[in-house]
Amino acid sequence: MPAEKSSAVRSRRPAPPRGAGRGSPAPRIPRGGGVRRLYERARRAWDRPLTAYYVILGSSLLITVLGLVMVYSASMIKALSIDKSSTYFFGKQFVAAVIGGALMLVASRMPVKLHRALAYPMLMVTVFLMVLVQVPGIGMSVNGNQNWLYLGGPFQIQPSEFGKLALILWGADLLARKQDKRLLTQWKHMLVPLVPVAFMLLGLIMLGGDMGTAIILTAILFGLLWLAGAPTRLFAGVLGFAAVMVFVLIWSSPNRMSRLSCMGVSEPDPEGGCWQAAHGIYALASGGWFGSGLGASVEKWGQLPEPHTDFIFAITGEELGLAGTLSVLALFAALGYAGIRVAGRTEDPFVRFAAGGVTTWIMAQAVINIGAVLGLLPIAGVPLPLFSYGGSALLPTMFAVGLMIAFARDDPAAKAALAMRRPGVRWKTMRRRVKKRSSGER
């Protein structure tokens, strides 16, 4: 009788919660107001292993697709004005996006060791192409910048855009090897040969007169030094030297001085100066909350120069309004925050330096482009990453995004989550969880 009573008591005990005995249970969402519950749900969703992977993939693809739409809308009149089809620029950008998508897929599937192996060959090839640009008869000049190589037909390439990716991969591999040997505590090992090689790339870029790309390359260098733990004095010294060089380069060029004087203008001067900056503000101001409608821009009819490249954000504001521009900003913010998460959660120094360098590159270029359109920064002539027209800028950027996707997939927790989502693994796991019944049990 006592045995029967004890067994009955045991049968009335509540069943243990699911997942007990297989690790610590997930924290419960606290009871309370709706805002607090919503915050906790969002925080738990963000802490999942695959969140960075999906955010990087989704935000980059959305930016690219929206960019294709806006390139088509912003470039129609420009293409017709040069006796081309209205889809001329869109077709070239679409081809570049398809090739870039293939590069992103390849980069996302490559192991980290292979990315490190590509660092030195990519740097050497990029330096060779950048030297080739300066050879008379081989290099091309576009809008006053001698930074292009002609590939035949309507295609040309700007090697300096690939220099950003090459510097990140090579610099990340260099700093990672030095950190493994505990050499980054010495300032000479932190600066040499990273800073001299970066200055060599900057010199080749400035020979062609491309100040905007040089600024982005300088930002990448500072990002790598910051991630490597450069002391404040050393970091401030390099930053001060770069600031002096930028001031000298701007002061010595009337074109760059005119761009600096156009910050914050609301209308062009009587001689036609600051025309682009003023009409960029006009485009944004006429968009309102929801814009004039896709394809209904007025400024792209010859008033705003470069509507599909440097000032595509202004056309986006005119046609899609504040809602469209805020959507673009939100996508870039999500991409940047996910990149910071990948760089901050890894134990691999190469992944940390490379992910931080790519995030610095994309965010710095987006800030400089959008800041110039808003009149808050000088016009640097850099495209909006993944958004503006230009295959030379799109291809290395999409490869860099694939690099971050590969890093997000390489996280141990993300690997386990992806393995559990394979059909074969899930079926075997479910079979193990099902308790086998005896032949007489119903």
Side-chain angles (χ1 to χ4, degrees):
M1 187 68 182
E4 295 178 358
K5 183 177 180 180
S6 62
S7 63
V9 170
R10 281 197 302 269
S11 65
R12 290 195 298 268
R13 288 178 181 173
R18 293 184 63 183
R22 293 177 293 181
S24 58
R28 296 181 178 179
I29 299 177
R31 298 178 180 178
V35 176
R36 186 179 178 186
R37 288 175 62 86
L38 183 62
Y39 167 77
E40 290 296 331
R41 287 182 181 273
R43 186 179 63 83
R44 287 180 60 185
W46 180 251
D47 287 336
R48 291 175 181 173
L50 292 175
T51 299
Y53 168 74
Y54 286 123
V55 170
I56 294 173
L57 178 62
S59 59
S60 60
L61 290 180
L62 285 174
I63 293 172
T64 305
V65 172
L66 183 57
L68 285 172
V69 174
M70 292 310 305
V71 164
Y72 175 63
S73 176
S75 65
M76 294 172 59
I77 308 304
K78 178 73 174 180
L80 293 173
S81 66
I82 59 175
D83 297 328
K84 300 290 184 179
S85 169
S86 61
T87 60
Y88 174 73
F89 292 106
F90 170 77
K92 294 176 64 176
Q93 186 74 354
F94 182 78
V95 171
V98 172
I99 299 174
L103 290 176
M104 185 174 70
L105 179 61
V106 171
S108 66
R109 295 293 179 174
M110 289 169 55
V112 176
K113 291 183 179 179
L114 186 54
H115 282 295
R116 298 189 68 168
L118 289 175
Y120 279 83
M122 183 177 293
L123 179 66
M124 290 188 291
V125 171
T126 303
V127 171
F128 173 75
L129 293 177
M130 292 174 68
V131 172
L132 203 62
V133 164
Q134 305 305 324
V135 178
I138 298 178
M140 287 182 58
S141 177
V142 177
N143 294 332
N145 293 336
Q146 183 79 15
N147 282 316
W148 296 82
L149 287 176
Y150 180 65
L151 300 180
F155 299 103
Q156 53 198 17
I157 189 173
Q158 188 176 5
S160 57
E161 291 290 342
F162 293 87
K164 305 170 187 176
L165 180 61
L167 178 62
I168 290 173
L169 286 177
W170 176 80
D173 179 70
L174 174 71
L175 294 174
R177 287 188 288 107
K178 289 195 173 189
Q179 181 169 322
D180 291 339
K181 298 178 181 179
R182 306 193 179 192
L183 297 176
L184 290 182
T185 55
Q186 306 176 33
W187 67 269
K188 58 180 180 180
H189 285 288
M190 185 174 293
L191 294 182
V192 180
L194 177 63
V195 174
V197 170
F199 280 2
M200 177 189 66
L201 294 175
L202 287 171
L204 291 173
I205 292 173
M206 290 307 300
L207 281 176
D210 192 353
M211 185 72 179
T213 304
I215 293 175
I216 303 302
L217 208 69
T218 305
I220 293 172
L221 174 62
F222 287 152
L224 291 174
L225 290 175
W226 180 270
L227 292 168
T232 305
R233 291 181 299 172
L234 183 62
F235 195 82
V238 177
L239 183 62
F241 176 77
V244 171
M245 291 299 297
V246 168
F247 175 78
V248 171
L249 291 172
I250 293 177
W251 182 75
S252 61
S253 173
N255 180 35
R256 298 187 188 114
M257 284 296 296
S258 64
R259 290 187 178 189
L260 184 64
S261 64
C262 291
M263 289 176 55
V265 299
S266 57
E267 59 183 14
D269 58 42
E271 297 181 357
C274 301
W275 181 272
Q276 188 174 20
H279 279 271
I281 297 296
Y282 295 164
L284 290 172
S286 60
W289 288 99
F290 300 104
S292 58
L294 194 62
S297 168
V298 175
E299 292 293 333
K300 69 182 180 184
W301 286 77
Q303 299 297 323
L304 179 63
E306 306 298 333
H308 58 302
T309 54
D310 301 347
F311 272 69
I312 193 171
F313 189 76
I315 302 299
T316 304
E318 184 180 7
E319 294 188 349
L320 303 183
L322 182 64
T325 56
L326 290 181
S327 299
V328 175
L329 292 177
L331 289 173
F332 274 108
L335 181 60
Y337 195 69
I340 294 174
R341 171 184 166 130
V342 171
R345 294 198 173 191
T346 182
E347 298 295 333
D348 189 338
F350 172 78
V351 173
R352 182 170 65 254
F353 294 136
V358 171
T359 305
T360 302
W361 164 19
I362 295 176
M363 292 300 105
Q365 189 163 325
V367 168
I368 291 174
N369 177 276
I370 295 174
V373 174
L374 296 176
L376 303 177
L377 294 174
I379 300 175
V382 296
L384 189 58
L386 301 172
F387 200 82
S388 295
Y389 169 79
S392 293
L394 184 63
L395 295 182
T397 308
M398 295 194 75
F399 186 91
V401 171
L403 191 71
M404 287 204 296
I405 293 174
F407 295 157
R409 289 169 56 93
D410 195 61
D411 182 74
K415 280 184 176 180
L418 287 172
M420 287 296 298
R421 296 196 173 192
R422 296 175 185 170
V425 176
R426 293 189 65 184
W427 174 250
K428 292 178 182 179
T429 307
M430 290 174 64
R431 288 186 61 184
R432 284 198 302 267
R433 290 180 181 178
V434 174
K435 183 180 178 181
K436 294 184 178 180
R437 299 180 180 180
S438 61
S439 59
E441 184 179 356
R442 294 185 178 178

